[in-house]
Structures are given as structure tokens and as C-alpha cells.
Amino acid sequence: MRRQLRSRRAPSFPYSYRYRLDDPDEANQNYLADEEEEAEEEARVTVVPKSEEEEEEEEKGEEEEEEKEEEEGQGQPTGNAWWQKLQIMSEYLWDPERRMFLARTGQSWRVMIRPFAHSLNFNFNVSEPDTWQHYVISLNGFLQGYNDSLQEEMNVDCPPGQYFIQDGNEDEDKKACQFKRSFLKNCSGLEDPTFGYSTGQPCILLKMNRIVGFRPELGDPVKVSCKVQRGDENDIRSISYYPESASFDLRYYPYYGKLTHVNYTSPLVAMHFTDVVKNQAVPVQCQLKGKGVINDVINDRFVGRVIFTLNIET
Amino acid sequence: MHQKTPEIYSVELSGTKDIVKTDKGDGKEKYRGLKNNCLELKKKNHKEEFQKELHLDDHKLSNRELEEKYGTDIIMGLSSTRAAELLARDGPNSLTPPKQTPEIVKFLKQMVGGFSILLWVGAFLCWIAYGIQYSSDKSASLNNVYLGCVLGLVVILTGIFAYYQEAKSTNIMSSFNKMIPQQALVIRDSEKKTIPSEQLVVGDIVEVKGGDQIPADIRVLSSQGCRVDNSSLTGESEPQPRSSEFTHENPLETKNICFYSTTCLEASTSPVGTVTGMVINTGDRTIIGHIASLASGVGNEKTPIAIEIEHFVHIVAGVAVSIGILFFIIAVSLKYQVLDSIIFLIGIIVANVPEGLLATVTVTLSLTAKRMAKKNCLVKNLEAVETLGSTSIICSDKTGTLTQNRMTVAHLWFDNQIFVADTSEDHSNQVFDQSSRTWASLSKIITLCNRAEFKPGQENVPIMKKAVIGDASETALLKFSEVILGDVMEIRKRNRKVAEIPFNSTNKFQLSIHETDDPHGKRFLMVMKGAPERILEKCSTIMINGEEHPLDKSTAKTFHTAYMELGGLGERVLGFCHLYLPADEFPETYSFDIDAMNFPTSNLCFVGLLSMIDPPRSTVPDAVTKCRSAGIKVIMVTGDHPITAKAIAKSVGIISANSETVEDIAHRLNIAVEQVNKRDAKAAVVTGMELKDMSSEQLDEILANYQEIVFARTSPQQKLIIVEGCQRQDAVVAVTGDGVNDSPALKKADIGIAMGIAGSDAAKNAADMVLLDDNFASIVTGVEEGRLIFDNLKKTIAYTLTKNIAELCPFLIYIIVGLPLPIGTITILFIDLGTDIIPSIALAYEKAESDIMNRKPRHKNKDRLVNQPLAVYSYLHIGLMQALGAFLVYFTVYAQEGFLPRTLINLRVEWEKDYVNDLEDSYGQEWTRYQREYLEWTGYTAFFVGILVQQIADLIIRKTRRNSIFQQGLFRNKVIWVGITSQIIIGLILSYGLGSVTALSFTMLRAQYWFVAVPHAILIWAYDEVRKLFIRLYPGSWWDKNMYY
């Protein structure tokens, strides 16, 4: 996948190419050579420190693996065992399979919401359209790319529940799966052009930050669930999710990068807060739940979750 | 001077022990300088006291008048009540320490000196910035507070370090205090009491025994065989006799005054020599008190290296402030918020200030100081380490520094011939002809007519080191004969002494009569020694080759020629004669009566002459030559007589063999001194008297025009004037000395060097450096080390300055181009105070590139530590290359993470918005704020690693300034490799060990990023090799002038 991305990059990104040519320094050739050597590596590596527990778990896993491999290697000459250890070591440093550096994975769900709200505080007064009009405009603007007509024209309808893998030439344009605005039902803005803001039932869209090459774990798709972060559980009362599965389907993965995957449309989950307590600030935490999803990182509060407050006045 | 010379000559000729008396000619002037100076110094505070000192006439007064004047009684002493009154009036008999700067002030000074003030500004700006942030947003991040604290901590730590180093150097006054004898024997209420000498008051009657220090300035009332060692006060090596007679108008010359802190020598007679005297001055009003205040009144000169560092600090601070303000203005005009602009300003200051450098310099200097201490140069003031290297004039005291401070037999004259004796420290090699029978007789006289004895219990001590009871010349003769003849005491036992007339200044001879061990006849042998002309008067025959010959005019003439010759060498000459008393007239039972003189003292047989000198140390001539070839002028400044001074100067090479003084030329051409063209003379001997009449212009002229100069008969004040004169020539002046009289000059000098063994405590404390083995040659080592450290400091500074550009550029580019910040302020501090410290110290271990002892000393105003080529080359050549290399790593990391360089431009604003949590990169990926921050830290780490890798290359290229690294040897300086290793290890620890501590903003950098800057590092090395190659190929060219630092 990495290979695909890189050979793509050169022709379609003349400036990056020029940058290299312009720099007369030999160091740059070295830099290129470096890249060549890293054939198996990813273009995109984010290193995210995890909580200690997880790290320990992973380390344990490593140890177990090591033990296994050592058992297997017992019959072989010692030189071979050394080689194996070296491999384990280098795998610990950089594991291309799992894309882990020093046993830390760089892959995790990061989510963001729409519309934009300063400091993620949704303050508005239902009876004063001025206070929520900008949310509506923001959402409308954001959803322009999701219009059904556009989606049907540009993108393909691919089978759900599985990765939409497109092998073949790296610099070939990739097709994208449809995600239609109508999937969002009541939050699509089609029936209710104010996305519920005029009735004090705001829609908030959850989208995942795009990561090139990221594939969620197979199995049940990742689900979104929101609840009150602190305070009375019943302040929210009821939430409708659209699509009703409240999940990100596997068919939208992997992402091949904006150079080839031009029309890629990020999947969304709309959260419709239909009966939130009014006239008080309600802190809401929406978490992703599913296999292998991290959602409790302290430093980065957008990993697998998003926290915002709703303060709807009437 | 010419006219004076014969008189001084006669001083020397007149023989053994009466120098003071015949010294009238110049003695009066000898201390005038000192007095004048005291006047100047004391003018404000101690006017009355000084008047008293000026009119000191106690030596002229009779005992009765003294009793009256001081209200005391010579027999009864003072009453305790009166003593207490006086004590209350005059204060204790101790030297008041000079006003000291309180420790806290010294400490605070360190806190605001150098770069500290800049860093404080940075710290306060940080706190102000936080204050502003906090007032607008309560949840403002504490980063700025931390940064401010870190900056403050850096200043305080370096300040404490510097303060600690400074505190180690001791204060001059402590030494003067130490000299005070603890107890004094005083008569009070007609009882002998032992009291602490601090409680002595004027009018007290004290008794001082041989071996004690004189507790105050005292007027001698009665004395028994007392001699005082005034060498530390006047530079005279000979002990001075003290008696109650008034012998000289000048209180400093007269015999009846003993001075505070001088030592009363142990006399050879028993009972031990004692002095009873009346205290006439105490504490600060004593002569030594005046010298002490003279010494402490001399401000400590700033050392050349301190000046250089100050200069360097000014350059760097200038650059930092001007760039900081320039970019503050740019930032504001680019519509950045003022708050942001302030933060940029802090970054620029921190990047520009080499925080670790001053500490590094201190460590470097103390390493050299340690190295020198191993070679017996104890450095008290660290900065003095370098001063010796830039020294261009050494003013050396004679006695004890150039010479051994021990009278030694230098020449013998018998059988009409002058023989040379070995004067080296161990006398091992006596080569003169000992077969002559005259020598046999002479040696007998030397052995027998001598009252000096070895102290018992020194069987295993080498002869030359044995302690002796007796005066200097007798000691010299005793040791001389012991070395040549063996057990002197045994010989004396075999030739029992039956009568003796000890030396006194009226007789000017010493006589003793012995039984002999001659088996042929039991005759008495009378032996006599003394002033040669007096001895000759008493002789009618002279012994030549063991035969007695009548003393006719021609033999008398040869005697005079020899006498003049030896005297002209500045040596003290003694004549020796003997007479075998006829057995019939003086039978074995004859009773000699020394008062009646019932034996002949004329018509004796003259045997020979011996001359003695305080010989130069054997290592000195070589050291002087080395100093010469290192372009250092060696000047002798002594309190001793010009003839002696000149002789020693000639023998150690301060006046070289073929150079002449004006007087020499006049003498050779037989013309008057005035007719000699002064330009012909290379050498000059200037006495204190002449110096006194000179204007400072005339002194400058002498110092500038003569290569070889000897100053004789100088007072402490004049030594100061000479040092100042040298300093007016823009010279860096080193002064060596051992006596109290040298201490003002030692203090005034750019570097004062005291002798560790012979030196007085006052000298040691006024000095910046102490030669533990008293070896003048150690100075040469010091010069070498000093020059090396200067060169190496240049390298250290060049190394340190280089990275400043690489640290500064990120901020400039951040402001102008709007990239995410490439390196954080904390990260910069980790380079400056972490990875770079050990390597920059390692450069201090670098060996010299060429023979540094063959070049001229640096000119203190021209050869700067940090000059333009150094700054330009470090900042604009290597520094910029390094910045490029580091940016390369930075861009590589960002590109591999998804942000191509073009995307980064002007990304700053979006990048730093906390609420943007899906910022798109070049590949359409989206980044939360925290991810970006983490990437930013990775960028810091990458930039840090980029600088680190290139600093390794920088370290290697700084090993030499001119030679190729391969000439110098890549592995000769092992410490460099320790430095490189430490650099890498610290880097690894920071990145991988502390990578998870978010406050430090380091992250675990992937291994391959460490190698991105390696080609750049190699390029730097290659570039510098080319620079050095062209410097070597085209010396003197434009390239050499602009690229050699």
C-alpha cells in the first residue's frame, strides 16, 4: 500500500518532486535512499502513547510470542536462535505488519464533529435563530459533498461489511464508496433544513479523521454511543443515530490518500439529540465502541471519543 | 649611576657584616617611595597616624626620652590600667582587614553578570506573558511559567557555580593576620607576662627570643647577638644585626628598630639571642601595616581573559538583543499579537545566549589549573591560568625567586688564581684544584674560624639541606667545607679551640686560636677571617703553593685585582689568614686572654680569598631563555644592590652575555657616560634612586628602549611604579616575588606569582599563582599551558557559537514563513546545557597545533579571544550549514508524517488553533490538535538530533584551527571521543528515555532520522578541511586573514 502511495506521489505532486531537485544537497539523495530501504514502511505513522495498561498488555503479548518462537527454535543451531532474537528485537523497534514502533501502534480512531463550535460548546437559543443559524450553514456546507446526486454520479455503491480494497496500479485513480446525505435521515437537512436546531433537537455529525491505509478491525463495525459525561444520565434522555446502525461500515476503508482517492467521502454518523434537558449545560461524551478501539486517552481527547457540551436555551 | 657605582662597590668590598653602616649613600632614599605612597594612601583616613610615622624619631631618642614620650618605664613596664587605656585608644595590635564586599553582594553580582541579565529578562518576559495570558484566559497553559523558572534556574545555578569558584580564592589580608605571633612576653606592672600579641600597646616593654617573630615595631633597648631577617621586607638576604645603638637617620636603616612580622634569627651564641624593646607602633601603624594597606589598596586588575570574556559577552548579547528587537518589530508589523512577539523574543534570546559557555570556560580553566598544580604551579585565581599565557613582561624579584636565597661559596682565590666553586643546589661537583698545599691551609681556616654548627639530629639529611645555627656566610662556609672535607665537627674536635674573638663591626674580623693535630709540633694555630683589606693589613707574608712569600707590592696588586674582580661579580668577599704561633713563646699551657690580646695580630700569613653569593637557581637560566624565545621580556626588580643584581642578571641570562649597559660601554671605551650613544646599549641597570627622579615618560622610555633591564634598590612602591609602567606599554605583566615587599606589586600585576617555599604568606596571598617548588622554570610551563588554554578556549567558543545559528533560525523562519515551530526553547536549553557541555570541555584537552612557545605573546588589544573571523565563520558558515542540515531532518520528519514542505508554509496559525482537530495534511489525512502537537515535538526532537549530529562534526573540525584533522590525529585526544559518546548517549536518553515526559517535549524518534543529517555533517567536515587547506597553502592571503580565527 505504501508502494502505491509513493509512486503516485511523484508525478501527481510536482512540487514535492521539485523540492527535492531544488535541494542540491547530497543528503537528500540519502534521504531518498532511506525511503527506498523502507519499502515496507508506511507513509503515515502516528505514534500515540497509550495508557500504561495497554502498553503492558502489548508487551506481555510480545513476550508470549517470543517464548513461542524460542520454543520453536530450540531444535535449531544457536546462530539461528540469535538471528531470531535479532529479528524479534528489530520487530519490536518497528513492526511493519502491525505498524508499530516500539510496540506502540500508530493507528487509532480519531473523531471530530460538525458543525464547528467554538471550544465545542453548543450554545444557542431556540427562539433566536441568530444564535444557531451559523451551525446550520456550517452543516449545509459540509454536506454539499454528500448530496445524493453527486454521490451517485461520482462514486460506486460497494458491498457493505467488507473492506473496499482496490489493488492494481498505485497511481491509478481509486474509486470511492457512496455515502449519501439521505443516509442521515432526519439529520440530512433534507426534511428539516435547520437540522433540528429550530426545535431544540440539534443534529451533530460525527466523522472520523482520515488516515491513509487505516483498516478497522474485521468483525462487527465500530459503533457510536453517546451519554452524559458528568452529571445526570437522564439529561439526554434519547438520541437517534443515523444511519441506524450508528456505525462506520468497513466498506469505507481503506483510504488511499487524496491524491488518488479524490472523491473519497468520509462516512458519518449523525446524532440527533431529540430530548435534551434545556437551559443547562449538558456535557456529552460520544465514544466509539468496538474491537480494538481505544477511547480513553487522556492527552488526546479526540481518540475514539469526542466531548462537547450542549446548552440549549428556550 | 656611574658616580654612585664606586660607593656601592665599596659596600660590597667592605666585607661581611657591615652593609647597613656603609649604606648611607643610598639608604636614605631607599624607602622614600614607600613613605610617599603611604602618604598618598593614608591621606584621607589616617592623616594623623601618618604624620606620626613620618616623624618617627624614636630611634634617635635616648631611653629616658622614650620613657617620657610613651609614659612607660623600662624596668617596670606599663601598668595594666594604662595598657588597657592605650588598647582602647589604639585598638588591638593587628592589621585591620580591608573592607570586604559582603558575600551576598558578591553572590548577587554573579547573578547579574555576563549573560545572566539577558536570561533574567527572558524569564521575566515569560512570566509577564503568562500573566497576560492568564488574565484573558484562566486556563492558559503553564508552559511559559515553566520556561521562566527553567531560565531562572539556569542563571542561579551558573551563578552559584561561579560564586563557588570565586570564593575559593582567598583574601590577601588573612595572610597578614596569620603573621602575627600568637604570644608575646611583656613586662607589665614590673612582672613578666605572656599575653596575646594583639593586646600589645605602644610603650610596652617586650622580650623577643631568637626564632620568634617580632610582635610589633619595636625600638631595641638592649640586645644580645640578635639578628633579624628583613628579607621579606627589603629583599636583603643577609640577616641584619640589631642593637640599641642609633646608627642611621632613617628609621628603616637604623639598627635599633625591629619591624613587625620580621623574624628574630636564632643566634649561634648561647644563651639564645634576645632582644628587649619598647613597642613604638602597633597594628596598622607599623611598617608592615603600611605595606599591607598598600597591597590591599591596589585594586585587582581585571585579568585579560576576563576582559576577553566580557568582550565576547558583549558581542553575543549585542547580537541577541539586536536580532531579538528586530524580529520583535518584524513580528509586530506582520500583525502578530504582541504577546506572541514577546514569546518569539524570548526564544531568540535563549537561542542566542550560550547558557553553558561560562560554566564551561570555568571548568576548562580549572582543569588546566589542576594540570598546572600537578606541575607545581598552584593557581589561586582561575582566570590567571590564561593570563600567564598572554604575559609579555615578567618582572622577577631576585632573592629567593631567581636565586636560592642562601649564601654559597662561589669563588676562591689562592695561589694567585681564581677558582670557581660549584654553586648548584647540591654542590656535588667541586672541580677546583685541591692538591695545592695552600688549599690545605685555607680549608683549615675555613673549618676552624667558624662558629656555625649543624643542628643535631640531621644525620640523614643531605648536607645542603641541613639546618644550621649561625649566620648566612658562616653557614655557607660550613656547608662548603663539610662537602669537601667531610666531618667538620670532627676536625674541630681534633683542633681544639682555646680562644676566640667573635666578629664585631669595629674589628671587622673574627679570630680564633686552636691546638693543632699536627704531629710535628705542638704549636698553636691562629686563624682569622674578615674583610679582605683589613686582613691584608695584618699580613706581612702570603702563601703561594704552600710556601710563605713576603707580601710585596706586586702580590698586593694581584690581590687587589682579584678582590675587585670578585667584588665586581656582586659577591661578598672574605679574606683568610693564619699564623702558627711559635711553640717557644706560646707553650701548651699558655693562657690566651682575648681582652688583653696577649698574642700577635699582625704580620700574619695571608692565605686566600673566598667569595660568596646567593647563587641563581640552576633551572633559571634555561627558563629565562625559554621565556625569551616565547617573546617574553624578563625584567629583574630587586631591593638588593645593583652590582649583585647585575651579576645575577648576567648569570641567569636576564642580561645576555654580549649585551652591555651604558656604563659598560663607557667603561670599555673609557669615555664619560654622557658621551655614550644610549641606543648602543641593550641592557640597563636602574636603581631606585634614579627611578625616584624619573618622570613616568622617562620610565616608559627605558622600558620601551631596553631589552634587558635590571631594577635594583627598589622599594615596594617603586616596584608598583615599574609594574604600572610596564602595563602602560600595553604589556601583560607577571610579577614574581616572595617577600612582603613584593606583595603590592604582586597584587598590581596582571598575574602575581609567589614562591611557595620561600615566599611569605603575604606574597602568597597577594599572588594569583604560587610556585610550589619555587622553581622559576615552572613559569615556563605555566606560559605554555596558558597559551594552550587560550587557543583551546577559542575552539570551545567557536564550537559553542556555531549551534546558536541553528537554534536561532527556527524562530526567524517560524515568524516569517509560518512553519510549525521547528525547535522549542526547552529543547534548546537541553542542547546548550546538556549535550554540548562535555564536548566543549573536551576541547580543553586538545594538544597544541604548533610550537606555541616560539611565537610572540598575544597582544591584549589586538588578538582577541572572539574576533570577527571567528564570529563570522561560526555564525555564517558552519552555523548556517548546520541550520540547513537540521531543517532537512525537520522537513524529512514532517514529510514522512504527511506534511510536505509546501503544505507547512503559513500553516502556523491553523496548526496552533486548539479547536481545529481535523487539520488536513498533504495526503488528505486529518490531524487532531494533540497529534499535531506530538508531531511538533517529534519535529523538535528531529531538529535536536540534526543539530546534535552536526555538532559532532563541528566538534571534530574545531580540534584544529589551521592544521588538518589528520595532521592533528583524530584519536590523540581521547576526551573528544568521550565527549562525542556522551553527546550521543544524552541524546538517546532524552529521546528514548524521557520521550514520554511531555513537559520536556521530546519524543521517541525513529532510528533512521538520526542519519538524515550525517551527510551534512560530513559536508561540514569537508568544508572546514578545505578552509584549513587554503589557510596553509596561502598564508597571509585574503583567505588567511578572513577565515583564520
PDB file of all heavy atoms in Angstrom, chain B residues 435-450:
ATOM      1  N   SER B 435      94.771  20.119  45.226  1.00  0.00           N
ATOM      2  CA  SER B 435      96.031  19.468  45.578  1.00  0.00           C
ATOM      3  C   SER B 435      97.025  20.444  46.220  1.00  0.00           C
ATOM      4  O   SER B 435      97.920  20.046  46.952  1.00  0.00           O
ATOM      5  CB  SER B 435      96.656  18.848  44.325  1.00  0.00           C
ATOM      6  OG  SER B 435      96.878  19.874  43.382  1.00  0.00           O
ATOM      7  N   SER B 436      96.809  21.722  45.955  1.00  0.00           N
ATOM      8  CA  SER B 436      97.763  22.700  46.464  1.00  0.00           C
ATOM      9  C   SER B 436      97.772  22.699  47.989  1.00  0.00           C
ATOM     10  O   SER B 436      96.738  22.522  48.625  1.00  0.00           O
ATOM     11  CB  SER B 436      97.378  24.092  45.945  1.00  0.00           C
ATOM     12  OG  SER B 436      98.008  25.079  46.714  1.00  0.00           O
ATOM     13  N   ARG B 437      98.972  22.922  48.547  1.00  0.00           N
ATOM     14  CA  ARG B 437      99.060  22.946  49.999  1.00  0.00           C
ATOM     15  C   ARG B 437      98.417  24.219  50.555  1.00  0.00           C
ATOM     16  O   ARG B 437      98.040  24.270  51.715  1.00  0.00           O
ATOM     17  CB  ARG B 437     100.517  22.809  50.441  1.00  0.00           C
ATOM     18  CG  ARG B 437     100.996  21.343  50.291  1.00  0.00           C
ATOM     19  CD  ARG B 437     102.231  21.094  51.105  1.00  0.00           C
ATOM     20  NE  ARG B 437     103.380  21.701  50.448  1.00  0.00           N
ATOM     21  CZ  ARG B 437     104.312  22.406  51.105  1.00  0.00           C
ATOM     22  NH1 ARG B 437     104.205  22.584  52.393  1.00  0.00           N
ATOM     23  NH2 ARG B 437     105.339  22.922  50.448  1.00  0.00           N
ATOM     24  N   THR B 438      98.347  25.204  49.720  1.00  0.00           N
ATOM     25  CA  THR B 438      97.654  26.426  50.145  1.00  0.00           C
ATOM     26  C   THR B 438      96.197  26.105  50.474  1.00  0.00           C
ATOM     27  O   THR B 438      95.622  26.594  51.438  1.00  0.00           O
ATOM     28  CB  THR B 438      97.692  27.483  49.036  1.00  0.00           C
ATOM     29  OG1 THR B 438      98.983  27.515  48.479  1.00  0.00           O
ATOM     30  CG2 THR B 438      97.309  28.843  49.585  1.00  0.00           C
ATOM     31  N   TRP B 439      95.601  25.281  49.622  1.00  0.00           N
ATOM     32  CA  TRP B 439      94.206  24.888  49.857  1.00  0.00           C
ATOM     33  C   TRP B 439      94.063  24.184  51.192  1.00  0.00           C
ATOM     34  O   TRP B 439      93.102  24.413  51.940  1.00  0.00           O
ATOM     35  CB  TRP B 439      93.703  24.015  48.714  1.00  0.00           C
ATOM     36  CG  TRP B 439      92.438  23.277  49.062  1.00  0.00           C
ATOM     37  CD1 TRP B 439      92.295  21.929  49.184  1.00  0.00           C
ATOM     38  CD2 TRP B 439      91.173  23.846  49.400  1.00  0.00           C
ATOM     39  NE1 TRP B 439      91.028  21.620  49.554  1.00  0.00           N
ATOM     40  CE2 TRP B 439      90.305  22.791  49.706  1.00  0.00           C
ATOM     41  CE3 TRP B 439      90.700  25.160  49.478  1.00  0.00           C
ATOM     42  CZ2 TRP B 439      88.991  22.986  50.078  1.00  0.00           C
ATOM     43  CZ3 TRP B 439      89.391  25.345  49.849  1.00  0.00           C
ATOM     44  CH2 TRP B 439      88.535  24.282  50.147  1.00  0.00           C
ATOM     45  N   ALA B 440      95.069  23.355  51.495  1.00  0.00           N
ATOM     46  CA  ALA B 440      95.027  22.651  52.775  1.00  0.00           C
ATOM     47  C   ALA B 440      94.951  23.650  53.928  1.00  0.00           C
ATOM     48  O   ALA B 440      94.148  23.508  54.857  1.00  0.00           O
ATOM     49  CB  ALA B 440      96.253  21.756  52.912  1.00  0.00           C
ATOM     50  N   SER B 441      95.787  24.678  53.843  1.00  0.00           N
ATOM     51  CA  SER B 441      95.775  25.686  54.900  1.00  0.00           C
ATOM     52  C   SER B 441      94.466  26.460  54.908  1.00  0.00           C
ATOM     53  O   SER B 441      93.853  26.688  55.958  1.00  0.00           O
ATOM     54  CB  SER B 441      96.925  26.676  54.705  1.00  0.00           C
ATOM     55  OG  SER B 441      98.141  25.995  54.726  1.00  0.00           O
ATOM     56  N   LEU B 442      94.069  26.844  53.710  1.00  0.00           N
ATOM     57  CA  LEU B 442      92.846  27.639  53.597  1.00  0.00           C
ATOM     58  C   LEU B 442      91.648  26.870  54.156  1.00  0.00           C
ATOM     59  O   LEU B 442      90.823  27.403  54.916  1.00  0.00           O
ATOM     60  CB  LEU B 442      92.608  28.013  52.128  1.00  0.00           C
ATOM     61  CG  LEU B 442      91.415  28.907  51.841  1.00  0.00           C
ATOM     62  CD1 LEU B 442      91.523  30.229  52.599  1.00  0.00           C
ATOM     63  CD2 LEU B 442      91.277  29.185  50.345  1.00  0.00           C
ATOM     64  N   SER B 443      91.593  25.595  53.785  1.00  0.00           N
ATOM     65  CA  SER B 443      90.438  24.808  54.226  1.00  0.00           C
ATOM     66  C   SER B 443      90.426  24.697  55.739  1.00  0.00           C
ATOM     67  O   SER B 443      89.372  24.676  56.375  1.00  0.00           O
ATOM     68  CB  SER B 443      90.450  23.423  53.577  1.00  0.00           C
ATOM     69  OG  SER B 443      91.594  22.712  53.977  1.00  0.00           O
ATOM     70  N   LYS B 444      91.619  24.656  56.307  1.00  0.00           N
ATOM     71  CA  LYS B 444      91.709  24.577  57.763  1.00  0.00           C
ATOM     72  C   LYS B 444      91.142  25.846  58.407  1.00  0.00           C
ATOM     73  O   LYS B 444      90.403  25.787  59.401  1.00  0.00           O
ATOM     74  CB  LYS B 444      93.171  24.401  58.169  1.00  0.00           C
ATOM     75  CG  LYS B 444      93.316  23.770  59.531  1.00  0.00           C
ATOM     76  CD  LYS B 444      94.686  23.134  59.665  1.00  0.00           C
ATOM     77  CE  LYS B 444      94.694  22.082  60.749  1.00  0.00           C
ATOM     78  NZ  LYS B 444      95.971  21.335  60.778  1.00  0.00           N
ATOM     79  N   ILE B 445      91.496  26.970  57.814  1.00  0.00           N
ATOM     80  CA  ILE B 445      90.988  28.235  58.367  1.00  0.00           C
ATOM     81  C   ILE B 445      89.464  28.283  58.250  1.00  0.00           C
ATOM     82  O   ILE B 445      88.742  28.659  59.176  1.00  0.00           O
ATOM     83  CB  ILE B 445      91.607  29.451  57.654  1.00  0.00           C
ATOM     84  CG1 ILE B 445      93.130  29.366  57.669  1.00  0.00           C
ATOM     85  CG2 ILE B 445      91.144  30.747  58.314  1.00  0.00           C
ATOM     86  CD1 ILE B 445      93.803  30.349  56.759  1.00  0.00           C
ATOM     87  N   ILE B 446      89.014  27.869  57.080  1.00  0.00           N
ATOM     88  CA  ILE B 446      87.558  27.912  56.845  1.00  0.00           C
ATOM     89  C   ILE B 446      86.835  27.065  57.886  1.00  0.00           C
ATOM     90  O   ILE B 446      85.816  27.453  58.449  1.00  0.00           O
ATOM     91  CB  ILE B 446      87.228  27.395  55.415  1.00  0.00           C
ATOM     92  CG1 ILE B 446      87.789  28.331  54.369  1.00  0.00           C
ATOM     93  CG2 ILE B 446      85.735  27.237  55.239  1.00  0.00           C
ATOM     94  CD1 ILE B 446      87.740  27.775  52.970  1.00  0.00           C
ATOM     95  N   THR B 447      87.423  25.920  58.142  1.00  0.00           N
ATOM     96  CA  THR B 447      86.780  24.992  59.064  1.00  0.00           C
ATOM     97  C   THR B 447      86.815  25.497  60.501  1.00  0.00           C
ATOM     98  O   THR B 447      85.829  25.424  61.230  1.00  0.00           O
ATOM     99  CB  THR B 447      87.492  23.627  59.012  1.00  0.00           C
ATOM    100  OG1 THR B 447      87.784  23.331  57.669  1.00  0.00           O
ATOM    101  CG2 THR B 447      86.649  22.542  59.628  1.00  0.00           C
ATOM    102  N   LEU B 448      87.974  26.012  60.883  1.00  0.00           N
ATOM    103  CA  LEU B 448      88.150  26.339  62.288  1.00  0.00           C
ATOM    104  C   LEU B 448      87.626  27.716  62.653  1.00  0.00           C
ATOM    105  O   LEU B 448      87.058  27.910  63.729  1.00  0.00           O
ATOM    106  CB  LEU B 448      89.644  26.236  62.651  1.00  0.00           C
ATOM    107  CG  LEU B 448      90.238  24.847  62.479  1.00  0.00           C
ATOM    108  CD1 LEU B 448      91.721  24.850  62.843  1.00  0.00           C
ATOM    109  CD2 LEU B 448      89.486  23.824  63.318  1.00  0.00           C
ATOM    110  N   CYS B 449      87.845  28.665  61.786  1.00  0.00           N
ATOM    111  CA  CYS B 449      87.418  30.022  62.120  1.00  0.00           C
ATOM    112  C   CYS B 449      85.946  30.186  61.751  1.00  0.00           C
ATOM    113  O   CYS B 449      85.592  30.929  60.846  1.00  0.00           O
ATOM    114  CB  CYS B 449      88.294  31.017  61.379  1.00  0.00           C
ATOM    115  SG  CYS B 449      87.993  32.712  61.906  1.00  0.00           S
ATOM    116  N   ASN B 450      85.112  29.431  62.421  1.00  0.00           N
ATOM    117  CA  ASN B 450      83.704  29.378  62.038  1.00  0.00           C
ATOM    118  C   ASN B 450      82.907  28.914  63.243  1.00  0.00           C
ATOM    119  O   ASN B 450      83.224  27.906  63.851  1.00  0.00           O
ATOM    120  CB  ASN B 450      83.545  28.376  60.878  1.00  0.00           C
ATOM    121  CG  ASN B 450      82.185  28.449  60.255  1.00  0.00           C
ATOM    122  OD1 ASN B 450      81.220  28.862  60.891  1.00  0.00           O
ATOM    123  ND2 ASN B 450      82.105  28.054  59.007  1.00  0.00           N
TER     124      ASN B 450
END
